[in-house]
Amino acid sequence: MAKKRKVGNLMALAVLSVMVDRPMHRYEIAATLRARGKDCDMDIKWGSLYTVVRNLAKAGFLEVVGSEREGARPERVIYRITEAGRAEMVDWTRELIAEPEPERGRFTAGLSILAALPPDEVIELFGRRLAALTEQITAVRAELEQLESSLPRLFLVETYYGLAMLEAEAAWTQSMRDELAAGTFPGQDQWRDWHSGGEPPQLGEHGEGGTAPERETKR
């Protein structure tokens, strides 16, 4: 089970990961996060950076080591990671790697109410999703080809994982689309009839998702 963190925003982990290199002010932190593509790996909201850095310092994971001023610009506070911050980064990384947590995305939300659409439209929508996934897969493969010549695999594992997830999603979507197009999806005729003004599909002994208690169904 995930621990309750003093600073639970994943952006905090991203900040700690780049602060290991050297002390930085907030503008350097933001530039380094962008340069390393952390905004692609984590849900980073740039407007929250000031608050996250402040909270990390309040929690004892960062400490102020000085400041600098360039011309008429405002003074910039320089932070460095503390030993507690390093320990938090390592412990948090261990948790993320070892302990799976449900990750409910937009696609899962749409699939959960798929019956709201007629099956023929779902076939077309799955086709559009497949086309988009294929473009993404092609782009990621091209990116990896460029990066593999300059970076060790260790620093590309998240990109390989992302590619594997895209390929798995594409394979599953293709399988579902093929099943619907062939008319072999269980209950597909009743599903189509419902959208033509017939009775809604029956849930059977289990509710949606197979976990709800038994419900009465219209006969």
Side-chain angles (χ1 to χ4, degrees):
M1 184 176 179
K3 294 181 180 179
K4 184 174 178 59
R5 304 270 170 192
K6 290 182 180 179
V7 188
N9 187 331
L10 272 176
M11 188 176 189
L13 181 60
V15 170
L16 292 174
S17 74
V18 299
M19 292 295 292
V20 168
D21 292 349
R22 66 184 190 281
M24 302 182 195
H25 54 66
R26 286 187 293 112
Y27 298 99
E28 286 181 295
I29 295 171
T32 306
L33 288 170
R34 286 193 174 97
R36 296 187 183 177
K38 291 301 179 187
D39 49 342
C40 297
D41 301 331
M42 302 182 188
D43 184 19
I44 288 180
K45 295 179 174 59
W46 297 109
S48 301
L49 179 60
Y50 176 83
T51 300
V52 167
V53 170
R54 183 186 62 192
N55 289 342
L56 285 169
K58 184 177 179 181
F61 299 144
L62 297 178
E63 62 184 1
V64 176
V65 293
S67 63
E68 65 178 34
R69 184 189 298 273
E70 293 183 11
R73 292 181 178 179
E75 186 177 53
R76 295 174 173 178
V77 178
I78 300 172
Y79 298 87
R80 73 178 171 196
I81 192 169
T82 64
E83 287 305 311
R86 290 174 185 272
E88 176 72 358
M89 179 188 68
V90 170
D91 184 64
W92 201 346
T93 303
R94 284 174 177 153
E95 177 189 295
L96 291 173
I97 297 299
E99 301 178 19
E101 286 281 322
E103 298 179 16
R104 299 181 179 90
R106 289 162 47 89
F107 190 36
T108 302
L111 291 173
S112 73
I113 51 173
L114 194 64
L117 304 173
D120 294 331
E121 182 179 358
V122 172
I123 293 170
E124 189 268 333
L125 293 172
F126 276 159
R128 284 165 51 184
R129 188 176 193 89
L130 275 169
L133 287 169
T134 300
E135 287 185 8
Q136 292 178 39
I137 289 168
T138 300
V140 173
R141 285 175 177 165
E143 179 186 8
L144 277 172
E145 284 184 10
Q146 292 182 336
L147 294 175
E148 284 171 334
S149 61
S150 58
L151 287 175
R153 186 180 176 90
L154 175 61
F155 299 108
L156 296 172
V157 288
E158 75 279 10
T159 307
Y160 279 105
Y161 173 76
L163 176 60
M165 294 301 98
L166 286 172
E167 290 174 336
E169 182 181 329
W172 185 88
T173 304
Q174 182 71 66
S175 175
M176 274 289 292
R177 186 179 185 280
D178 290 346
E179 192 173 1
L180 289 169
T184 57
F185 187 83
Q188 187 170 337
D189 290 340
Q190 292 89 340
W191 179 9
R192 182 177 288 107
D193 289 344
W194 177 40
H195 282 277
S196 298
E199 293 289 324
Q202 302 301 305
L203 294 177
E205 293 185 357
H206 301 285
E208 267 185 297
T211 57
E214 182 176 349
R215 302 179 185 178
E216 290 187 3
T217 55
K218 293 174 68 176
R219 301 291 182 185

